[in-house]
Amino acid sequence: MPAQLIDGNALSRQLRAEVAERAAALTARGVRPGLAVVLVGDNPASAVYVRNKVKACADSGLHSVLEKYEATLTEAELLARIEALNDDPAIHGILVQLPLPAHIDAHKVIEAISPDKDVDGFHVASAGALMVGQPGFRPCTPYGCMKMLESIGVSPKGKHAVVIGRSNIVGKPMAMLLLAANATVTVCHSATPDLAHHTRQADIVVAAVGKRNVLTADMVKPGAVVIDVGMNRDDAGKLCGDVDFAGVSEVAGWITPVPGGVGPMTITMLLVNTIEAAERAAGI
Ligand code: NAP
């Protein structure tokens, strides 16, 4: 039987409706949740991501500010802007769109964001909080993947989860979230000798690599949940994930499509984190 789809668009609509309700309740109390999005340079993909984030804020009743700077902006100037946003009471979340131009140290910039406004969850304080099981902002993409599992009633508890990829923004926090949810977690990466050996044992596979067809049908246990984080282009230039969707759909129990899977969930969780930041600032 072909796998059931985990529809990221439908789940996003549901979660964004909840965000809009919380935003309206906060606004009625005189606190309009606000997100600042900072874009440096003219990377065309970044411009699209940033536009989508600003639009998502407007659609859910959040206030947003888009700060666009030339690629020549200095690191010191950017750090000064972050400091000003940290002090701005109308701003509850700060997002610096990555990548930054090479002359700017992205790590330094992320660390300059107040952990209370770190809605991307990339600050070392947020990563540390996740590591030790303390409250803090969870990185939006893996947080969205956890919501997808929840939405289909699959608890990671007692399951074997395999995460392919170990980046700081997806793979590692994904592994931590699954571990916190009591899964037994294996993390694979480019130096893993026999990827299929691991994925074939997995009840849950999360692919976060950035290469087409990293996961094919022969690598998947029948009935497994497959979450595809990857964003790639096929030969025809169409958006596709890391997973051979057609083949794996015949074996898996559940699968996320690309597009329409993890992508919309990432922006949705950014809105959720921003609302949470605003509620905390308002003492709720
Ligand atoms: P990244 O920083 O490039 O990390 C990729 C990871 O994949 C690395 O850990 C790398 O291992 C591993 N890897 C590379 N080749 C491999 C192979 N053949 N087998 C197993 N592992 C391999 O990428 P990222 O930022 O995590 O993003 C991953 C993908 O997700 C990209 O396509 C990105 O565009 C997409 N993405 C999507 C969303 C969304 O909202 N849908 C959000 C974020 C990212 P090493 O560590 O050993 O190099």
Side-chain angles (χ1 to χ4, degrees), residues 49 122 140-142 145 163-172 187-192 195 207-212 214 219 228-232 240-242 258 261-267:
Y49 295 147
F122 294 165
C140 302
T141 301
C145 294
V163 179
I164 319 173
R166 57 172 165 181
S167 71
N168 289 336
I169 63 167
V170 190
K172 278 186 211 160
V187 182
C188 300
H189 44 77
S190 67
T192 301
L195 183 61
V209 175
K211 287 182 186 159
R212 284 161 59 190
V214 154
M219 299 167 74
D228 191 352
V229 178
M231 284 201 306
N232 313 294
C240 67
D242 290 346
V258 179
V262 176
M265 289 300 294
T266 296
I267 297 187

Side-chain angles (χ1 to χ4, degrees), residues 185-281:
V185 182
T186 302
V187 182
C188 300
H189 44 77
S190 67
T192 301
D194 186 356
L195 183 61
H197 166 77
H198 299 282
T199 58
R200 273 190 209 114
Q201 298 172 46
D203 305 301
I204 299 167
V205 184
V206 181
V209 175
K211 287 182 186 159
R212 284 161 59 190
N213 298 330
V214 154
L215 193 75
T216 48
D218 56 309
M219 299 167 74
V220 175
K221 179 163 124 177
V225 180
V226 175
I227 298 185
D228 191 352
V229 178
M231 284 201 306
N232 313 294
R233 296 274 166 194
D234 67 13
D235 293 335
K238 255 182 64 187
L239 194 64
C240 67
D242 290 346
V243 175
D244 168 25
F245 183 83
V248 172
S249 294
E250 295 300 319
V251 183
W254 292 91
I255 190 166
T256 64
V258 179
V262 176
M265 289 300 294
T266 296
I267 297 187
T268 298
M269 301 323 290
L270 172 69
L271 300 178
V272 169
N273 278 347
T274 304
I275 281 287
E276 235 161 76
E279 286 175 347
R280 280 186 216 168

